[in-house]
Amino acid sequence: MKIFTVAFFFILTLQNIATGQDSGVDILDKKLRRAETPELRADALLHLAGHYATRDSIYARYYLNELYELIENKNLNRFLSSAYLEEGILNYYSDLYPEASSCFLKSENALKEIFDVKVAARLWLFWGNMHALRSEYDSSLIKYQRAYSYYEQADDLKGMSDALFAMASEHFSQGNPEYSLHYHNRAYALRISLQDSARIANSLIGLARIAEQQDSLSKSLGLLKEALRLREMIGDKRRVASSHLGLGSFYIEHGKPGLAPSHLTTAYDIFEGLNERTGMTYALLKTSEAYILNEEFDSALSTLDESCRLSKNIDNPSLMAECYKIRSRLMESLGEHDQSLYFYKRYTKLNDSINNSEKERRFSELEVKYLSQQKSARIEKLEAQEKLSRQRAVILISGVFLLLLVIVFIMIFYRQQNQKLHYRNRLLESEKELQKQRMELQERQRKELQERLEYQEKELASKALSIYKTSSLMEETVNQLDALCADEKKQTSVPREINGITNNLKSFARLDLWEDFEHSFTKVHTGFYKTLLEKAPDLTASEIRIASLIRLNLTTKEICAITLRSESSIKSIRFRLRKKLEISGDDNLTAKIMSL
């Protein structure tokens, strides 16, 4: 009896973990109606299927079918793993364990394509629950640990606490209270930090079971009552009924059957209001046990009749077997040993049938799993071959494409090189032609400049010659006038007038003629005076004029004639020019001045 109580209590606790608070079906319906995109509609359908998975399998399957159709039509493969998971949870709560395993396996395969850490965490948690119900402890613990790891990656504290709670419950079922207490304390600490009253109540129940096993009955009872208080505070009727059922079972197991009926009756009333016939049946069975222990046999008999009727209606062989077992005890208490034996035989027969059915179910599930694995292996092999073929095709196509690309590149490269070479040749020809034209132009300009320079120098020489002739004529005239003035016999007032004329002629020769000459000289030799003064800034005007005449390559005699100076005077000026221009005695003065 105690084993049956623990098993049923464990199932209810797992159901509480999975379902949580009512997610608000009205809000989900509005979300579905207002969904404007396929993604939003798929999300709403997924939540509705999850909501009804533990409440109404018809609605849940309706929403799942619509979700699968939407995924296929709109190629929403990222929702596929979640859809398989919700279908697996639905089959899990409908006791269709082979179908649930198949859905969980499909969800796992879908996660390999598009991974979602939250979906993976829920998958391994429920898969672990299913292994736990079939007493596959090692498998369940492995899956719970993976669920905890994924919840930790997602930083989901509620999920982490649920995984820890599940591991604690599994260790308790295996008879490891130390490990169970360790995981319960970790889960309880997380739930306290989250201030999640529903989950705190579940942890308190788990801790109460450990305290009960350690014979700390008062502590266990206190924890159960605190869990009931929390559940009543949050108003979750299903959990409140579960707590009343747990308290009634606790009193029966520990010799206080008189306190059990009030809790069990409350549990029955709540389950009846929720139309949960399994809970109603179990509450009636525990109530009949309490009546038998209290020796209220009539009440026990009527309660058993009602529980047997409900067990038949819901077609639950396990509860029916429990009915036969309790009725056998009742008949034994009434002294009707033949009836007691009859019902005990029916109990053992039905229980054996259940065990055989369970074995067949497990065998079928293993067979389905084996076939699924074989099918998955074949699919993976075919996919690998197809992938390899695709890779080879891609490599071949890529190779051909690269070869064509290289050929095109080479052709473009050679074409560009030819174009560049042609352009370079044309450019060289153009440059040669341009250079030739430039040289011809420069040659013409040089000739024109040379001709102009020769012309100007001829003109300048002509002017210098003109100055020379004019100067010679003036000198001769002056000499004649001087001779007249020297005649003593003709000393009159005329010599004074002749002296005036002589001075005017000399002044004219030295000013007007020189100004005209310098103007013409500057046009021909533009930078001569500037260069000359840069080398010898202290030159006098007469020295500059003599230097300009030397620049015209005139001899000393010619310079004397032009300037009306004596040869010694010109030599003296040449000496001063050599000194001021820092020209040594070995160098030719004329050549140096002409190079300026």
Side-chain angles (χ1 to χ4, degrees):
M1 180 68 70
K2 185 173 181 178
I3 295 173
F4 183 77
T5 303
V6 170
F8 186 80
F9 193 62
F10 182 50
I11 292 171
L12 287 178
T13 305
L14 287 177
Q15 184 174 355
N16 287 335
I17 295 172
T19 56
Q21 295 283 354
D22 193 333
S23 58
V25 67
D26 293 335
I27 297 174
L28 292 174
D29 282 333
K30 289 180 181 178
K31 184 179 178 181
L32 178 62
R33 289 195 298 271
R34 295 175 181 176
E36 297 179 354
T37 64
E39 288 79 6
L40 292 175
R41 184 171 181 80
D43 187 66
L45 289 170
L46 186 64
H47 281 85
L48 282 166
H51 174 82
Y52 283 110
T54 58
R55 294 168 174 81
D56 192 322
S57 61
I58 296 175
Y59 276 109
R61 293 196 186 280
Y62 168 77
Y63 288 121
L64 279 171
N65 290 335
E66 191 171 348
L67 176 60
Y68 282 129
E69 185 177 353
L70 183 63
I71 290 172
E72 184 178 0
N73 292 337
K74 300 297 182 180
N75 195 25
L76 301 175
N77 291 332
R78 70 184 184 89
F79 290 96
L80 198 56
S81 59
S82 299
Y84 285 138
L85 173 59
E86 295 301 339
E87 186 180 4
I89 293 171
L90 173 61
N91 290 328
Y92 166 78
Y93 283 118
S94 301
D95 297 332
L96 302 172
Y97 299 124
E99 290 82 355
S101 291
S102 177
C103 290
F104 290 154
L105 188 61
K106 289 179 181 178
S107 180
E108 182 185 15
N109 291 332
L111 283 171
K112 292 177 182 177
E113 299 295 329
I114 303 175
F115 185 75
D116 187 326
V117 67
K118 292 184 178 180
V119 176
R122 290 188 69 226
L123 168 65
W124 292 109
L125 182 64
F126 277 96
W127 214 340
N129 290 346
M130 195 170 68
H131 283 298
L133 288 176
R134 292 179 296 181
S135 301
E136 298 172 356
Y137 301 124
D138 293 337
S139 298
S140 63
L141 283 174
I142 290 172
K143 287 181 169 56
Y144 287 148
Q145 287 168 355
R146 290 190 67 176
Y148 177 81
S149 175
Y150 285 132
Y151 277 128
E152 191 174 26
Q153 289 181 33
D155 198 24
D156 186 344
L157 298 182
K158 289 184 179 180
M160 290 166 62
S161 71
D162 289 344
L164 289 169
F165 183 86
M167 284 190 277
S169 301
E170 193 64 9
H171 279 296
F172 181 82
S173 300
Q174 293 183 54
N176 298 321
E178 294 82 5
Y179 286 108
S180 179
L181 182 61
H182 168 73
Y183 287 113
H184 268 308
N185 286 333
R186 288 179 63 187
Y188 182 71
L190 279 175
R191 290 169 173 183
I192 288 292
S193 67
L194 292 168
Q195 297 182 350
D196 189 331
S197 298
R199 285 179 166 82
I200 291 172
N202 291 339
S203 290
L204 290 173
I205 291 172
L207 292 169
R209 291 166 61 198
I210 295 174
E212 180 184 4
Q213 191 181 58
Q214 295 174 344
D215 294 330
S216 299
L217 300 182
S218 59
K219 180 180 179 180
S220 177
L221 183 60
L223 291 171
L224 289 173
K225 288 182 178 180
E226 178 62 17
L228 174 61
R229 186 189 68 79
L230 287 174
R231 288 176 169 179
E232 287 177 338
M233 183 179 67
I234 62 178
D236 190 335
K237 293 181 179 180
R238 184 181 291 105
R239 289 191 175 94
V240 170
S242 175
S243 287
H244 280 294
L245 192 59
L247 280 168
S249 301
F250 179 86
Y251 286 129
I252 291 171
E253 294 294 333
H254 297 289
K256 296 181 180 180
L259 300 175
S262 61
H263 289 288
L264 296 172
T265 302
T266 302
Y268 175 83
D269 292 339
I270 295 173
F271 281 131
E272 186 178 24
L274 296 172
N275 195 28
E276 291 193 3
R277 291 179 294 176
T278 301
M280 292 165 59
T281 304
Y282 191 73
L284 288 173
L285 287 172
K286 300 305 293 182
T287 304
S288 63
E289 279 192 70
Y291 284 146
I292 291 172
L293 293 173
N294 292 330
E295 297 183 355
E296 298 177 20
F297 300 122
D298 292 337
S299 298
L301 185 59
S302 61
T303 305
L304 271 174
D305 289 339
E306 179 64 18
S307 62
C308 289
R309 184 185 65 80
L310 284 173
S311 297
K312 289 179 181 179
N313 288 339
I314 62 177
D315 192 22
N316 191 318
S318 297
L319 291 177
M320 196 68 208
E322 189 67 15
C323 284
Y324 290 146
K325 184 179 179 181
I326 295 173
R327 188 178 286 273
S328 174
R329 288 176 57 194
L330 176 60
M331 293 298 106
E332 185 179 2
S333 299
L334 293 173
E336 299 180 10
H337 299 292
D338 54 341
Q339 289 292 318
S340 175
L341 180 60
Y342 169 75
F343 284 111
Y344 188 77
K345 287 181 178 180
R346 295 192 66 177
Y347 160 71
T348 54
K349 182 179 179 181
L350 184 56
N351 196 45
D352 290 341
S353 175
I354 292 171
N355 290 334
N356 290 333
S357 298
E358 178 66 17
K359 289 178 182 178
E360 290 177 2
R361 182 189 63 76
R362 291 186 64 184
F363 176 77
S364 299
E365 186 176 344
L366 289 172
E367 186 178 15
V368 168
K369 189 174 182 180
Y370 172 72
L371 292 174
S372 298
Q373 288 177 345
Q374 277 192 328
K375 184 178 179 181
S376 298
R378 287 198 299 271
I379 291 172
E380 288 178 0
K381 185 177 180 180
L382 290 172
E383 287 178 348
Q385 291 176 350
E386 185 179 355
K387 186 177 180 180
L388 183 61
S389 299
R390 286 199 302 268
Q391 288 176 346
R392 288 175 178 172
V394 169
I395 291 171
L396 180 61
I397 293 171
S398 300
V400 173
F401 177 75
L402 287 174
L403 181 61
L404 291 174
L405 194 63
V406 169
I407 292 172
V408 171
F409 175 77
I410 291 172
M411 291 175 64
I412 293 173
F413 176 76
Y414 277 113
R415 184 176 179 182
Q416 289 178 345
Q417 291 299 316
N418 289 332
Q419 288 178 347
K420 287 181 180 179
L421 184 61
H422 180 67
Y423 175 75
R424 191 179 295 114
N425 291 335
R426 289 182 59 188
L427 187 62
L428 288 173
E429 291 176 0
S430 300
E431 287 180 353
K432 287 180 180 179
E433 184 67 26
L434 186 62
Q435 184 69 18
K436 183 179 178 181
Q437 293 176 359
R438 191 182 295 114
M439 290 176 67
E440 290 177 353
L441 179 62
Q442 288 176 352
E443 182 64 21
R444 285 198 302 270
Q445 289 176 347
R446 188 186 66 78
K447 287 181 179 180
E448 290 176 359
L449 186 61
Q450 183 67 28
E451 289 174 357
R452 189 183 304 162
L453 185 61
E454 290 176 356
Y455 171 77
Q456 288 177 348
E457 285 186 346
K458 287 179 181 180
E459 185 180 4
L460 192 60
S462 176
K463 285 188 178 184
L465 183 60
S466 176
I467 292 171
Y468 170 73
K469 289 180 179 180
T470 304
S471 298
S472 298
L473 180 60
M474 286 183 178
E475 184 179 5
E476 185 179 352
T477 304
V478 169
N479 290 334
Q480 291 176 359
L481 289 173
D482 287 340
L484 289 174
C485 290
D487 192 355
E488 294 179 357
K489 295 179 178 181
K490 296 179 180 180
Q491 290 290 334
T492 61
S493 60
V494 175
R496 286 194 299 272
E497 294 176 1
I498 292 173
N499 285 334
I501 294 170
T502 301
N503 291 331
N504 288 336
L505 287 172
K506 289 181 179 180
S507 175
F508 173 78
R510 291 175 181 173
L511 293 175
D512 293 344
L513 292 175
W514 276 111
E515 287 178 2
D516 186 39
F517 172 79
E518 287 177 352
H519 179 71
S520 299
F521 183 86
T522 304
K523 284 184 177 180
V524 177
H525 304 287
T526 53
F528 177 75
Y529 288 137
K530 182 179 179 182
T531 306
L532 186 66
L533 290 173
E534 285 177 355
K535 286 186 173 292
D538 56 344
L539 290 175
T540 63
S542 61
E543 289 171 347
I544 293 172
R545 288 173 184 170
I546 298 302
S548 63
L549 292 173
I550 293 172
R551 176 67 182 81
L552 293 176
N553 200 18
L554 298 177
T555 63
T556 303
K557 289 183 178 181
E558 290 172 338
I559 294 172
C560 290
I562 292 171
T563 58
L564 301 177
R565 291 176 181 270
S566 64
E567 187 174 348
S568 60
S569 175
I570 297 302
K571 287 182 178 180
S572 177
I573 292 173
R574 287 173 66 92
F575 176 77
R576 290 199 301 273
L577 284 172
R578 185 182 291 274
K579 184 177 180 180
K580 290 181 180 181
L581 293 174
E582 297 179 352
I583 299 172
S584 65
D586 296 333
D587 294 329
N588 188 291
L589 177 63
T590 303
K592 287 290 184 180
I593 290 177
M594 290 184 71
S595 65
L596 294 177

